[in-house]
Amino acid sequence: MRAIQIASLDGPQAAKLVEVDEPDGDGLVVIDVHAAGVAFPDALQSRGLYQYKPDLPYTPGAEIAGVVRSAPEDAGLNAGDRVCGLTMLCGAMAEVVALPADRVFTLPDSVSFEAGAGLLFNDLTVHHALLTRGRLAEGETVLVHGAAGGVGTSALRLAPAWGASRVIAVVSSEDKRAVAQAAGASDVVLAEGFKDAVKEMTGGRGVDIVVDPVGGDRFTDSLRSLAPGGRLLVIGFTGGEIPTVKVNRLLLNNVDAVGVGWGAWAGTHPGYLLEQWAELEPLLASGKVAAPDPEVYPMERAADAIASLEDRSAKGKVVVKLR
Ligand SMILES: NC(=O)c1ccc[n+]([C@@H]2O[C@H](COP(=O)([O-])OP(=O)(O)OC[C@H]3O[C@@H](n4cnc5c(N)ncnc54)[C@H](OP(=O)(O)O)[C@@H]3O)[C@@H](O)[C@H]2O)c1
């Protein structure tokens, strides 16, 4: 089969299209992959900068969508089923993958393979962030950093469905404004000066939740943008720097800085992914939440797809098409 492989830690351009053997699917769900999602960890991994470091050579990508070729009898899946699935941190960009049944989910007919390959990693992270860790309540307001990125567009799509009354997007440039608006933002502000813009928009009160996949030097202004009782959800550090927090800020304003580690939680809570999917799937199937609208790259340009997250040119979710 054809697969993308990275054989040296030289960055996204090390991702090459190669021929490899198909996986041994014994006891697993074997899937003919139509599309694979790209996420920020793929860019970090290609330089050996992510906490999880696969042995070389490895196939990048954490999520897929495709058609079941074969499944164990007790998997609840049949050959021909349209599915999406999690390889979790690598292995997705291959024409055939074999996954444990608890990481494979039936894709609603209304969701294309390209959209399906771009939804699990971010939507389940955002579900974990907003509901399990962030305690989002009906009528609350949410500010989303990196709002035109993968996690960001997920948060914009999902927060209103879970009760948010207003979702303010933060983007770095005017050309990303339209991406955030299309994903469902109520308002869009530029990263430069976002704190003052948010204060003005909220009549000085601030927001109840900040979704933060960026970190870096925005962190303190994010804490200052919270209303009393607010929660800052620490999701990632695309900005590069891991911020520190002076805890007196938490005390003075009665706010929380909340860690969000979805993969670690799923790994220690058996059945969690299935529970999450059971809450997300009806929203997608009914159209209450739109599926992602990803930028799609052909398999031959997988390296460019990964590079677009590193060089910050990606708009929305990025997906690689394999079939
Ligand atoms: N904690 C968890 O469980 C979990 C799960 C999944 C992902 N994550 C993390 O979430 C983060 C976002 O992942 P993603 O796949 O959504 O990434 P993405 O699609 O590349 O989006 C990240 C956004 O970060 C912003 N950004 C700010 N400074 C940047 C810089 N120096 N380089 C690149 N982007 C920069 C960009 O928006 P602007 O240009 O508009 O600023 C970009 O749209 C990553 O750190 C990832 O590891 C965490």
Side-chain angles (χ1 to χ4, degrees):
M1 66 171 181
R2 297 188 310 159
I4 302 300
Q5 264 195 356
I6 291 184
S8 63
L9 299 178
D10 297 320
Q13 294 304 333
K16 306 288 183 212
L17 183 54
V18 296
E19 285 286 332
V20 296
D21 292 340
E22 288 191 0
D24 173 13
D26 204 22
L28 299 170
V29 182
V30 180
I31 300 163
D32 288 320
V33 176
H34 283 243
V38 185
F40 203 76
D42 295 315
L44 293 175
Q45 270 179 18
S46 73
R47 296 193 187 277
L49 297 175
Y50 194 61
Q51 59 254 36
Y52 174 70
K53 300 179 195 332
D55 291 337
L56 296 173
Y58 74 94
T59 291
E63 55 188 330
I64 59 96
V67 176
V68 173
R69 186 192 281 186
S70 65
E73 262 181 26
D74 59 356
L77 293 161
N78 295 303
D81 286 352
R82 298 173 79 254
V83 293
C84 52
L86 289 163
T87 57
M88 234 29 192
L89 282 170
C90 63
M93 294 184 199
E95 285 180 323
V96 183
V97 301
L99 296 178
D102 62 1
R103 282 200 255 136
V104 183
F105 312 95
T106 304
L107 197 59
D109 288 340
S110 55
V111 179
S112 70
F113 288 122
E114 288 84 1
L119 67 84
L120 284 174
F121 200 70
N122 295 324
D123 283 11
L124 299 189
T125 294
V126 167
H127 175 280
H128 183 60
L130 288 178
L131 301 188
T132 305
R133 301 291 293 135
R135 314 183 302 278
L136 172 64
E138 191 71 32
E140 287 194 319
T141 48
V142 178
L143 179 76
V144 180
H145 284 293
V151 167
T153 47
S154 272
L156 297 177
R157 288 170 37 248
L158 288 164
W162 288 325
S165 59
R166 187 177 194 184
V167 187
I168 304 171
V170 183
V171 296
S172 61
S173 58
E174 287 295 342
D175 63 332
K176 292 189 178 179
R177 190 182 282 273
V179 179
Q181 273 161 345
S186 329
D187 312 87
V188 186
V189 299
L190 291 177
E192 183 77 38
F194 79 89
K195 173 178 68 75
D196 294 339
V198 168
K199 282 278 175 202
E200 197 180 321
M201 276 175 179
T202 58
R205 177 181 178 271
V207 294
D208 298 297
I209 289 184
V210 175
V211 172
D212 186 12
V214 174
D217 56 12
R218 303 180 189 184
F219 194 82
T220 300
D221 277 348
S222 291
L223 285 176
R224 290 182 177 130
S225 300
L226 286 172
R231 289 83 72 201
L232 192 165
L233 309 180
V234 179
I235 297 178
F237 312 105
T238 57
E241 184 206 332
I242 297 179
T244 52
V245 53
K246 287 210 167 97
V247 294
N248 65 320
R249 287 189 197 287
L250 310 182
L251 177 156
L252 289 171
N253 296 318
N254 284 290
V255 296
D256 296 356
V258 181
V260 177
W262 165 66
W265 191 274
T268 53
H269 292 72
Y272 187 60
L273 297 175
L274 285 167
E275 285 167 30
Q276 289 194 291
W277 181 247
E279 290 184 24
L280 179 64
E281 192 272 345
L283 298 175
L284 294 163
S286 66
K288 187 171 179 205
V289 168
D293 180 20
E295 286 192 308
V296 182
Y297 284 73
M299 195 175 184
E300 293 73 13
R301 291 190 58 216
D304 295 337
I306 300 171
S308 74
L309 275 71
E310 186 180 70
D311 69 20
R312 217 169 163 174
S313 62
K315 305 224 171 45
K317 179 70 183 181
V318 173
V319 155
V320 172
K321 189 172 164 65
L322 286 91
R323 279 193 168 80

